[in-house]
Amino acid sequence: VLKQKANSSSESLSTCQTYTKKKHPDKAGHSQEVPAINGNGNVVKAKSTNKMDNGSGKDNPPLAKPKSKRVATDKNLNGTKSGGKGCKEKKKNGNILKEKGDIKHKRRKAEEHAEQQPKEAEIWFDDVDPKDIEAAIGPEAAKIARRNLGLETDQSKQSVEKVLVKEKASEGLTRAVAMDCEMVGVGPKGEDSIVARVSLVNQFGKCIYDKYVKPTEKVTDYRTAVSGIRPENINTGEDFKTVQKEVANILNGRILVGHALRNDLKVLFLDHPKKKIRDTQRYKPFRQRVKTARPSLKLLCERLLNIQVQTSEHCSIQDAQAAMRLYTLEKKKWEAALKNKLNNKNCK
C-alpha cells in the first residue's frame, strides 16, 4: 500500500511537472522544443508547432518584403515616386502655380512701371537742360520738360497762349485787370530802376494796353537778357507822364492783378487801394503750395498752370496774362477769403 501511494504521488508529481513545463514554453514563446507526453506517460521532446503555424524563420522576411513594397507603392500613388501618376499631377499643379506666379509678377511689374512713369503735373524743373533730365530720369520726363520749355514744337507756344488767353472773349475793359512792367537800370552801376514798358490785360488775358516809355534818366543798363528792352524801343517811346495818366485812368475803381505789384506801382509813381490789389506773390495759398515765402511767377506757372514762362527774355504782356490766369484760377476762393476777412473786421 505504501509503495502504491509513493508511486501514485510520484506519477502525479511528474504529471504536474509535465503540465508546468508544457505551459511554460507556450507562455514564454522563445523555446524551440515543446515537452509532450506519449501514450506510456513518458515525457518526450517534440518540435514546436509554433513555426508551423507562423512559418519558419527563413519564410518570415519574404512576407515582410511584399508589405514594404506595398507601402512603397502606396507612397508612390501619393506622388513620391518620380514616374508615378501623382508626381505628374504634382508637376502639373506646380506648372499652374508657376504660371500664376509669373502672371502676378508681370502684373506687379507693370503696375510699378506705370507708377514710375512721370506725369506731366509732376515734372517741375527750373532752368535744367532736358538732356540732363533724360540722363537722370528718362526720356519721358525729358519730353515733358521740352514741351514745357517750348523746345519741342511750335505747338508748345500755342498751348501756353491757349492756357493764358481765352479765345473769342471780350477785348475790352473788365472789372479786374492785370499789369506788368519791364524796367531798365539807371545810375552809376545801373542798380536803380525806371519803367521802360507797361502792359495791361483784361480778365480773359486779352491785351488792352501796351506801350514803351521814353526814359526820364540816362540808361546805364538795359538788362536786355531779362527785360527784352533795347535802345530803339524806348528812344521812340511814349512820354512818361502820358503813360502814367493813361494807366491811372484804367486802374481807377478796378481790381489790380499782378506779381510783385509793389515794384510796378513804384516805378510808375502810382498808388492803388490795398483792398483792390491781388498780388500772386503774396497770396498765402500759393506760397503754401510751392512751399516758398516769395515764389517767382515762373515757379507758380510751372506748378499751378503746368506751363513755362520767362524762358528767355521776359515779355510784360505774357507776364500780365500769367498773373491774371493764376488769379482766375483761384478767383472764387480768393474773393471769398477777402470778403470773410472784411466781415470779421467790421464785426470787431
Side-chain angles (χ1 to χ4, degrees):
V1 174
L2 291 170
K3 282 181 180 180
Q4 289 176 354
K5 286 181 179 179
N7 289 333
S8 62
S9 63
S10 64
E11 286 177 0
S12 63
L13 180 61
S14 64
T15 304
C16 181
Q17 288 174 352
T18 302
Y19 179 77
T20 306
K21 285 180 181 178
K22 185 178 179 181
K23 288 290 181 182
H24 183 68
D26 288 343
K27 189 174 181 181
H30 296 291
S31 177
Q32 294 180 356
E33 295 180 356
V34 180
I37 303 171
N38 60 9
N40 298 325
N42 296 323
V43 177
V44 295
K45 289 183 179 180
K47 288 183 179 180
S48 175
T49 57
N50 219 8
K51 292 179 183 179
M52 296 295 293
D53 295 336
N54 298 328
S56 63
K58 291 180 181 179
D59 294 336
N60 282 338
L63 288 174
K65 282 180 181 177
K67 187 176 180 183
S68 64
K69 285 181 180 179
R70 187 174 181 183
V71 171
T73 307
D74 291 339
K75 288 181 179 178
N76 290 338
L77 290 173
N78 291 330
T80 57
K81 193 174 179 182
S82 60
K85 182 180 178 183
C87 185
K88 289 181 181 178
E89 290 178 359
K90 187 176 180 182
K91 191 175 181 182
K92 187 178 179 182
N93 293 335
N95 290 336
I96 292 168
L97 291 171
K98 189 177 179 182
E99 287 174 5
K100 288 181 179 178
D102 291 341
I103 291 168
K104 287 181 180 178
H105 177 70
K106 287 177 181 177
R107 188 182 298 165
R108 185 169 63 251
K109 195 172 181 181
E111 288 174 357
E112 288 176 358
H113 181 70
E115 288 176 2
Q116 289 174 0
Q117 286 293 333
K119 297 178 181 178
E120 190 162 349
E122 297 172 347
I123 304 298
W124 318 116
F125 295 109
D126 210 353
D127 298 327
V128 180
D129 192 337
K131 291 181 181 178
D132 296 334
I133 295 168
E134 186 170 359
I137 301 175
E140 191 64 27
K143 187 178 179 181
I144 294 169
R146 286 191 186 96
R147 190 185 307 131
N148 290 339
L149 287 166
L151 301 174
E152 200 170 24
T153 58
D154 292 337
Q155 292 179 355
S156 298
K157 294 179 180 179
Q158 293 176 6
S159 64
V160 171
E161 191 174 343
K162 284 181 179 179
V163 172
L164 300 180
V165 184
K166 188 174 181 180
E167 293 182 4
K168 298 179 181 179
S170 172
E171 296 182 1
L173 286 169
T174 52
R175 183 170 174 265
V177 293
M179 181 177 71
D180 186 75
C181 297
E182 297 299 342
M183 306 162 198
V184 290
V186 294
K189 295 181 181 180
E191 293 177 352
D192 297 328
S193 298
I194 61 170
V195 66
R197 184 183 181 184
V198 184
S199 302
L200 286 97
V201 299
N202 66 10
Q203 195 168 318
F204 307 108
K206 301 284 187 178
C207 183
I208 55 174
Y209 188 89
D210 181 38
K211 284 189 178 182
Y212 289 100
V213 183
K214 191 178 290 185
T216 54
E217 297 180 47
K218 184 181 178 181
V219 178
T220 53
D221 187 0
Y222 284 90
R223 306 173 186 174
T224 306
V226 177
S227 66
I229 302 297
R230 291 164 176 80
E232 59 270 20
N233 299 137
I234 56 176
N235 289 339
T236 57
E238 189 70 71
D239 185 65
F240 171 76
K241 291 288 182 180
T242 305
V243 172
Q244 184 187 48
K245 186 177 180 180
E246 291 173 348
V247 171
N249 289 335
I250 293 171
L251 300 183
N252 187 27
R254 289 183 170 85
I255 292 172
L256 175 59
V257 180
H259 189 83
L261 281 168
R262 182 174 62 87
N263 298 327
D264 298 319
L265 292 170
K266 183 179 179 181
V267 292
L268 285 168
F269 295 96
L270 290 175
D271 194 12
H272 199 71
K274 190 177 179 180
K275 64 179 181 179
K276 293 279 187 179
I277 291 176
R278 307 290 182 266
D279 196 327
T280 53
Q281 189 186 58
R282 298 176 63 85
Y283 185 52
K284 193 173 181 180
F286 287 166
R287 290 186 291 180
Q288 289 173 344
R289 288 185 202 179
V290 298
K291 298 178 181 179
T292 307
R294 295 179 64 186
S296 66
L297 182 64
K298 183 176 182 178
L299 180 62
L300 290 176
C301 288
E302 287 174 349
R303 297 286 181 91
L304 306 179
L305 301 178
N306 196 30
I307 59 169
Q308 192 83 16
V309 297
Q310 299 179 344
T311 55
S312 54
E313 295 178 5
H314 293 196
C315 173
S316 54
I317 294 175
Q318 190 181 72
D319 290 351
Q321 290 170 338
M324 179 57 80
R325 186 66 189 93
L326 288 167
Y327 167 70
T328 55
L329 188 71
E330 290 280 308
K331 181 182 175 183
K332 289 182 180 179
K333 293 180 181 179
W334 199 331
E335 295 299 332
L338 290 172
K339 190 175 181 180
N340 291 335
K341 189 177 180 180
L342 185 63
N343 290 337
N344 291 335
K345 281 185 178 180
N346 292 333
C347 290
K348 289 178 182 179

